[in-house]
Amino acid sequence: VNLNHPRAKGFVKQYEGVRILRNVMEVTALAIIFLLGGNILAGIWGIVGVSVFLNAGIFSYVYIHSGLPRPEVHNVGKYIRYGVPMVPAALSSSLLADIDKYFLLFLLGPAPVGIYSVAERVCKPIVNLTGIFNSTLYPTIASAWDQGDYEVIEKAYEYIFRYYTILAFPGAVGLVLVAEPLLNIISTTEIARQAVPLVPIFILGYFLKGYDNPLRYILTSVERTRTIGIAVTLSLLVNVILNLTLIPTMGLSGAAIATLSAQGVLFFMILYVSFQEVRFEIPWITLVRCSVATVVMAVILMLLDLGNSPASEMLLDIGVGGLSYFAVLFLIGEFSSEDIKLVREKLQSSLQF
């Protein structure tokens, strides 16, 4: 809670700075503990210590500069109605993230879990693309909703969905194309061989999740947290049923399809309910242009035989693929002068802390 205080106050750069500081401190603490011969338990306590230290520091800063806020007793009922539905949502989200691995462990054994986890880990960076916008999104949406400024919300989501689409399309297809050399770098040849077919399934699920995550801020802003809880719980039930049905017959692919199906259910439920509150435009033209540019990029990469090792092949694919993709987008008119100006301003502001 304390770590989110700067973001709640609109101090986005300070919030990002605190997050970076936390990551650096955690890595440093773990490095020192393990170099001194500490075990996993000591590492966990080190991470806990970093969290306690940072939270205490932020709490002290807030107390010195603002004092402790007085609880508004008359709003306790409102807080309970808002917060209680998020408990099953949080529990279901945690289970949804890992329950497929438990089923694989129970039904197939530990080795398939390792293969499955490697393939999943490769695909997760797609979701992080929306994290570029998350620092400012929730305060912006919550404030605009309180002020009744729905046009700001609509524009914000049109902006986020357009730029996420531009970044996620080549990222998703690119990960599929470089999956084999990447998996060969981070694992063994045998693990890579079995993990590669899972990557397209995972990619599609995480691609949808990238759209789903920002939409939840609409529902939290309008205090429809119960809807989030119901959607996540139903998605978990779908995952459980499909895992029990598909893993015995399809193995690793069955678990991946179960996860994709559950994520699809969650995405369409959240999208449908969010549209009831805010009618923002889906960037259909951008979707078409990105599809065209992605196809061109994929054809170029498949025709060219780049690199003579997994590492060089992956790096060259990323470079050539990225250049060809954005060149096609530019040529077919996706980027305007306003887009270029906006990117330049964002880069300049990001360099000024």
Side-chain angles (χ1 to χ4, degrees), residues 65-79:
H65 289 82
S66 306
L68 289 177
R70 295 182 179 180
E72 299 179 3
V73 179
H74 63 279
N75 281 330
V76 169
K78 179 181 177 181
Y79 299 151

Side-chain angles (χ1 to χ4, degrees), residues 285-306:
I285 295 177
T286 296
L287 284 166
V288 172
R289 287 171 176 165
C290 289
S291 299
V292 172
T294 302
V295 169
V296 173
M297 178 193 77
V299 170
I300 290 173
L301 293 180
M302 286 187 290
L303 291 176
L304 296 177
D305 185 15
L306 301 172

Side-chain angles (χ1 to χ4, degrees), residues 147-215:
Q147 297 171 15
D149 197 348
Y150 306 120
E151 186 176 348
V152 169
I153 301 175
E154 293 170 4
K155 291 295 182 183
Y157 277 96
E158 289 170 15
Y159 167 85
I160 288 168
F161 276 21
R162 176 172 176 248
Y163 281 99
Y164 172 71
T165 300
I166 290 171
L167 295 174
F169 262 69
V173 175
L175 275 173
V176 173
L177 293 174
V178 303
E180 187 171 357
L182 177 57
L183 287 166
N184 277 313
I185 291 171
I186 65 174
S187 65
T188 66
T189 303
E190 181 59 25
I191 290 176
R193 183 183 65 81
Q194 297 182 67
V196 165
L198 303 178
V199 170
I201 305 173
F202 280 129
I203 282 290
L204 182 55
Y206 283 121
F207 179 77
L208 293 177
K209 188 176 178 63
Y211 286 107
D212 159 341
N213 284 343
L215 288 173

Side-chain angles (χ1 to χ4, degrees), residues 234-264:
L234 286 176
S235 177
L236 175 63
L237 291 175
V238 170
N239 199 330
V240 170
I241 292 169
L242 289 178
N243 269 304
L244 289 172
T245 304
L246 298 178
I247 289 177
T249 57
M250 300 180 64
L252 292 173
S253 296
I257 291 170
T259 300
L260 168 61
S261 301
Q263 181 56 53

Side-chain angles (χ1 to χ4, degrees), residues 84-99 229 232-233 236:
V84 169
M86 296 301 287
V87 175
L91 292 174
S92 297
S93 293
S94 298
L95 287 171
L96 193 59
D98 294 310
I99 199 167
V232 177
T233 303
L236 175 63

